[in-house]
């Protein structure tokens, strides 16, 4: 933390009350006018300003002259008792008093109503009396009755593109932790041996309200593949570079990096995942790369990694056998565990608190054919996580070890390149496809098809990240265009009992998968028993096996000859030969 002011005093002055005194005004800075800037000023004459110094008053006019019609004629009453009313006449006096009282009551009522209306008008300026306070409940009822009625209103907000001439991929997005008032976009070309000379290495921080000019340009000597804001210190930004280095910025000090890791101790391949750790200092982080390593760092000392893990699923700690990490996920609710998606289609669940490096690889999940481009935990159920790879998205649970996914989407024609959960709805997740389509899934209503498919761009969508409120979703394309989409309330409002319903569904699917897994194990045991039985039969006497084969062979020949009608009655069983020759029989007959 940068120290801007330092206050010093004697130790004997500690605890003494502060004595304040008045000083005359002093001139601290005197900036003389610059005549060269006079041409830049635009005179405005006259300049009108509307000011209101007091409340607006209304003028009321009241006719105070009374006219009373009697049997004696018309009397004009200017005030006090009328001339024709004798105070001694009780009947006329009572009638006149009642009229005066009614007028006074009416006047007081009008004055009180005026003050009440003035109070209401002042209150309306602070409180919207037309606000629909039960709008959420009505929406919930409508959504429960018609779940698709609220899932068709998705509005394109605006787009932000790579400001450079040579376009690059928007490989990663990260929203500012303070109300998502900015978004950091990592621009990098992941094509093999892309050596265009005019290609820039800069990445940018954008203000959603100003999509034409970046708020800050992040300068670097190597393209950045991933960027992440520090949730504790919003001014710190972590980046993983294409050459394997780890770098961080302090946005208060500009776009130049504060410190970088040395090349010889960094990753050997591009860094596809970098996450902050919830430490006390807020300076610890870790990274994963396709070189098969996971490295832990502290930005206060980036000269060397503090810890290392080799992603060797054989648990031999051989770098040549390690699987390349292409996606990384870390949830603050599980501070010692993290997930790694590999290029080979395997998901590795790791535990940092294990005693030995081989034990840090806790579990392995296999199910994808191609690379796992995204892996992320459910924000409501941390043991349930989503993976996106090849042509499908799968949902897993850590409660089932060495098993397949409990739920999955259908196989799409285009490739799936990224995916993430909704931060406000446990059953909703997003997937980005190579044809530029964004799919929004709600497994609580539809499991075979997405609730909404939106064609965002004509080029593939490379990255995806929603805001913390789930209302805005950012999509990065292959040409560096970042499109912000506003989701309808039906897809970003938690419905009644939705969390319990999705929990029941996950538990049901986990039990079903466990039953299928037990059945599969039983079938494997039976197959092993049958294989052992066959091996036992093969170990019998070879001569007996040969005789049994011989008998079976002649029995087959005999059955075939009978079918053809060629067998004679005098044949020896099992040989196909007759008991005597036909020549002898003919000779005996002749004699």
């Amino acid at each position: 933390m940068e120290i801007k002011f330092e206050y010093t005093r004697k130790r004997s002055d500690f605890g003494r009350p502060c004595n304040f005194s008045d000083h005359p005004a002093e001139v601290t800075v005197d900036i003389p006018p610059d005549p060269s800037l006079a041409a830049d000023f635009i005179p405005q004459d006259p300049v009108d300003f509307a000011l209101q110094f007091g409340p607006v008053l209304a003028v009321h006019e009241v006719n105070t002259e009374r006219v009373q019609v009697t049997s004696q004629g018309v009397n004009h009453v200017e005030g006090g008792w009328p001339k024709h009313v004798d105070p001694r006449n009780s009947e006329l006096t009572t009638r006149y008093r009642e009229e005066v009282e009614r007028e006074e009551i009416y006047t007081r009522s009008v004055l009180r109503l005026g003050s009440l209306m003035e109070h209401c008008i002042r209150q309306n300026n602070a409180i919207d009396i037309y606000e629909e306070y039960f709008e959420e409940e009505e929406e919930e009822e409508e959504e429960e009755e018609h779940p698709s009625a609220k899932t068709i209103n998705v509005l394109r907000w605006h787009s932000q593109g790579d400001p450079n001439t040579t376009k690059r991929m928007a490989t990663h997005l990260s929203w500012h932790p303070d109300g998502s008032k900015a978004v950091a976009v990592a621009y990098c070309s992941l094509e093999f041996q892309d050596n265009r000379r005019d290609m820039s290495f800069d990445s940018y921080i954008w203000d959603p309200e100003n999509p034409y000019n970046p708020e800050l340009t992040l300068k670097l000597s190597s393209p950045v593949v991933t960027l992440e804001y520090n949730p504790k210190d919003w001014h710190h930004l972590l980046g993983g570079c294409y050459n394997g280095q780890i770098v961080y910025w302090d946005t208060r000090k500009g776009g130049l990096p504060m410190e970088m890791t040395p090349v010889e101790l960094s990753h050997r391949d591009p860094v596809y995942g970098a996450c902050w750790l919830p430490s006390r200092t807020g300076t610890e982080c870790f990274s994963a790369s396709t070189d098969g390593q996971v490295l832990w760092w502290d930005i206060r000392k980036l000269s060397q990694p503090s810890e290392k893990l080799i992603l060797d699923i054989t648990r031999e700690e051989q770098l040549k056998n390690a699987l390349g990490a292409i996606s990384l996920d870390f949830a603050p609710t599980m501070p010692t565990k993290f997930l790694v998606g590999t290029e080979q289609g395997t998901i590795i669940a790791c535990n940092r608190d294990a005693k030995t490096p081989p034990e840090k690889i806790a579990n392995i999940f296999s199910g994808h054919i191609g690379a796992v481009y995204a892996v992320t935990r459910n924000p409501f159920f941390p043991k349930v996580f989503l993976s996106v790879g090849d042509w499908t998205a799968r949902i897993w649970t850590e409660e089932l070890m060495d098993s397949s996914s409990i739920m999955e989407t259908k196989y799409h024609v285009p490739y799936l390149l990224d995916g993430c959960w909704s931060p406000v709805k446990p059953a909703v997740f997003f997937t980005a496809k190579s044809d530029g389509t964004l799919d929004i899934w709600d497994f609580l209503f539809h499991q075979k098809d997405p609730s909404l498919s939106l064609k965002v761009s004509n080029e593939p969508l490379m990255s995806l990240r929603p805001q913390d409120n789930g209302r805005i979703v950012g999509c990065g394309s292959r040409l560096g265009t970042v499109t912000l989409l506003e989701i309808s309330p039906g897809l970003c409002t938690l419905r009644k009992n939705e969390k319990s319903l999705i929990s029941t569904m996950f538990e049901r699917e986990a039990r079903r998968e466990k039953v299928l897994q037990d059945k599969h194990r039983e079938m494997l045991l039976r197959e092993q028993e049958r294989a052992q039985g066959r091996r036992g039969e093969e170990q019998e006497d070879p001569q007996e096996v040969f005789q049994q084969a011989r008998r079976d062979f002649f029995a087959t020949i005999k059955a075939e000859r009978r079918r053809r009608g060629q067998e004679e009655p005098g044949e020896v069983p099992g040989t196909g030969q007759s008991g005597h020759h036909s020549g002898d029989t003919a000779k005996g007959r002749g004699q």
Side-chain angles (χ1 to χ4, degrees):
M1 181 179 298
E2 182 181 2
I3 300 176
K4 294 185 177 181
F5 299 100
E6 181 178 358
Y7 302 93
T8 59
R9 63 167 54 184
K10 297 180 180 180
R11 185 177 296 274
S12 59
D13 295 338
F14 286 169
R16 290 187 177 182
C18 298
N19 297 325
F20 299 97
S21 60
D22 295 334
H23 292 277
E26 297 178 359
V27 178
T28 57
V29 178
D30 185 9
I31 302 176
D34 189 358
S36 62
L37 301 178
D40 297 336
F41 288 92
I42 300 175
Q44 294 184 2
D45 189 21
V47 181
D48 298 332
F49 294 94
L51 300 177
Q52 182 178 354
F53 295 96
V56 179
L57 302 178
V59 179
H60 302 278
E61 296 181 357
V62 179
N63 184 11
T64 60
E65 184 178 3
R66 299 186 183 91
V67 179
Q68 186 174 10
V69 180
T70 63
S71 60
Q72 299 177 357
V74 178
N75 297 324
H76 294 272
V77 181
E78 296 180 357
W81 293 92
K83 296 178 180 179
H84 72 280
V85 177
D86 187 1
R88 293 173 294 181
N89 191 345
S90 61
E91 183 179 356
L92 294 177
T93 304
T94 304
R95 185 185 304 174
Y96 178 73
R97 184 180 289 111
E98 290 177 356
E99 292 179 359
V100 172
E101 289 178 356
R102 283 197 299 268
E103 291 180 0
E104 291 179 355
I105 293 174
Y106 175 75
T107 304
R108 287 197 299 268
S109 300
V110 171
L111 294 176
R112 186 179 64 179
L113 183 60
S115 61
L116 181 61
M117 290 300 296
E118 182 181 0
H119 175 71
C120 292
I121 292 173
R122 292 178 180 176
Q123 187 179 10
N124 292 344
N125 293 332
I127 301 175
D128 186 7
I129 63 174
Y130 301 103
E131 182 179 358
E132 297 180 5
Y133 293 97
F134 304 98
E135 182 180 1
E136 297 180 359
E137 297 182 0
E138 293 177 359
E139 287 182 358
E140 290 178 0
E141 294 176 359
E142 292 177 1
E143 290 166 7
E144 291 177 359
E145 295 176 358
H146 306 284
S148 61
K150 293 292 182 180
T151 59
I152 59 175
N153 182 23
V154 175
L155 304 177
R156 183 187 297 261
W157 198 359
H158 56 256
S159 300
Q160 301 162 346
D162 187 0
N164 298 283
T165 305
T166 304
K167 303 301 180 182
R168 300 161 296 162
M169 305 177 187
T171 56
H172 196 82
L173 307 178
S174 179
W175 289 98
H176 196 282
D178 184 16
S180 302
K181 62 182 181 181
V183 56
V185 184
Y187 293 94
C188 179
S189 177
L190 299 179
E191 296 181 0
F192 182 66
Q193 292 183 349
D194 189 3
N195 296 324
R196 289 175 286 181
R197 296 181 179 178
D198 55 346
M199 186 170 59
S200 174
F201 292 162
D202 299 341
S203 292
Y204 304 95
I205 297 177
W206 297 89
D207 184 0
E209 301 297 333
N210 183 16
Y212 304 105
N213 297 314
E215 183 178 327
L216 183 63
T217 302
L218 304 177
K219 298 288 186 178
L220 205 60
S221 59
S222 177
V224 178
V225 184
T226 180
L227 284 173
E228 284 294 339
Y229 271 106
N230 191 340
K232 277 195 171 184
D233 191 347
W234 303 336
H235 304 287
H236 286 173
L237 193 63
L238 181 67
C241 301
Y242 190 79
N243 62 353
Q245 289 181 293
I246 300 298
V247 60
Y248 87 95
W249 292 267
D250 191 339
T251 56
R252 295 169 296 186
K253 299 183 179 180
L256 295 178
M258 299 296 297
E259 192 175 354
M260 299 176 60
T261 59
V263 178
E264 59 274 10
L265 296 178
S266 302
H267 292 280
R268 303 179 182 179
D269 287 345
V271 180
Y272 284 93
C275 300
W276 292 96
L277 292 173
S279 59
R280 294 182 179 179
T281 58
T283 58
E284 297 182 7
C285 57
F286 72 111
S287 59
S289 171
T290 50
D291 62 352
Q293 297 183 98
V294 177
L295 303 179
W296 280 264
W297 309 88
D298 193 327
I299 62 174
R300 297 174 298 181
K301 184 182 178 183
L302 289 178
S303 58
Q304 61 181 1
S306 58
E307 195 175 344
K308 179 189 296 186
L309 174 63
I310 298 177
L311 299 175
D312 184 7
I313 58 176
T314 61
R315 294 177 173 83
E316 296 179 357
E317 297 187 65
Q318 296 293 329
L319 191 58
K320 62 180 181 180
N321 299 330
L323 303 181
I326 201 171
S327 58
L328 180 66
D329 177 75
F330 173 78
T333 55
M334 306 180 73
T336 61
K337 297 182 179 180
F338 59 94
L339 298 172
V340 179
T342 64
E343 293 179 306
Q344 292 76 14
T346 303
I347 303 171
I348 304 176
C350 304
N351 187 0
R352 188 186 180 186
D353 282 352
K355 297 180 180 179
T356 60
E359 293 178 356
K360 291 183 179 180
I361 300 178
N363 198 11
I364 300 171
F365 301 90
S366 301
H368 286 283
I369 301 174
V372 181
Y373 288 108
V375 56
T376 173
R377 294 185 184 272
N378 191 298
F380 295 87
F381 307 98
K383 292 187 178 181
V384 177
F385 60 92
L386 171 73
S387 65
V388 174
D390 48 64
W391 301 273
T392 181
R394 299 173 180 267
I395 297 177
W396 312 74
T397 177
E398 288 186 337
E399 295 179 354
L400 298 179
M401 301 298 181
D402 301 329
S403 64
S404 59
S405 58
I406 59 175
M407 303 179 75
E408 62 183 32
T409 64
K410 64 179 182 180
Y411 279 84
H412 299 78
V413 176
Y415 221 67
L416 268 65
L417 299 177
D418 200 1
C420 61
W421 289 100
S422 171
V424 294
K425 291 175 69 67
V428 174
F429 61 91
F430 309 92
T431 56
K433 296 191 292 188
S434 59
D435 61 349
T437 303
L438 172 68
D439 288 342
I440 304 178
W441 297 80
D442 191 346
F443 264 24
L444 200 58
F445 288 112
H446 304 285
Q447 299 180 7
K448 295 183 179 179
D449 297 307
S451 300
L452 177 68
S453 293
L454 180 66
K455 183 71 172 179
V456 179
S457 175
N458 293 326
E459 59 263 14
L461 297 180
M462 305 298 297
S463 55
L464 191 66
R465 179 67 71 89
Q467 289 184 355
D468 292 338
N469 58 6
R471 193 64 184 269
I472 304 297
V473 179
C475 306
S477 67
R478 187 181 183 87
L479 297 181
T481 302
V482 179
T483 304
L484 303 184
L485 303 174
E486 182 180 1
I487 306 300
S488 60
L491 290 171
C492 60
T493 304
L494 188 64
R495 292 185 293 269
K496 186 179 180 180
N497 298 331
E498 181 176 357
K499 188 175 180 180
S500 59
L501 292 176
I502 194 64
S503 176
T504 304
M505 185 179 68
F506 286 155
E507 292 176 358
R508 183 186 69 243
E509 295 299 326
R511 288 195 301 267
R512 181 187 62 83
E513 184 63 29
K514 187 176 181 180
V515 170
L516 294 177
Q517 185 178 358
D518 295 339
K519 292 290 184 181
H520 182 65
R521 289 177 180 175
E522 291 179 3
M523 293 177 61
L524 291 179
L525 291 176
R526 293 177 183 175
E527 191 66 27
Q528 291 177 0
E529 292 177 357
R530 292 176 184 176
Q532 291 178 359
R534 295 193 191 99
R535 286 195 297 268
E537 293 176 358
E538 292 176 358
Q539 294 177 0
E540 296 178 356
D541 187 9
Q543 189 65 26
E544 181 64 25
V545 175
F546 173 75
Q547 292 296 333
Q548 182 64 31
R550 185 173 182 275
R551 287 193 293 269
D552 294 342
F553 174 73
F554 283 116
T556 304
I557 294 177
K558 184 177 179 180
E560 182 66 20
R561 294 185 64 180
R562 283 181 180 177
R563 187 179 65 82
R564 296 182 180 182
Q566 297 179 359
E567 185 178 11
E568 297 182 2
E571 288 182 346
V572 178
T575 61
Q577 300 178 357
S578 60
H580 53 272
H581 296 283
S582 59
D584 297 339
T585 305
K587 185 177 179 181
R589 287 177 181 177
Q591 293 176 353

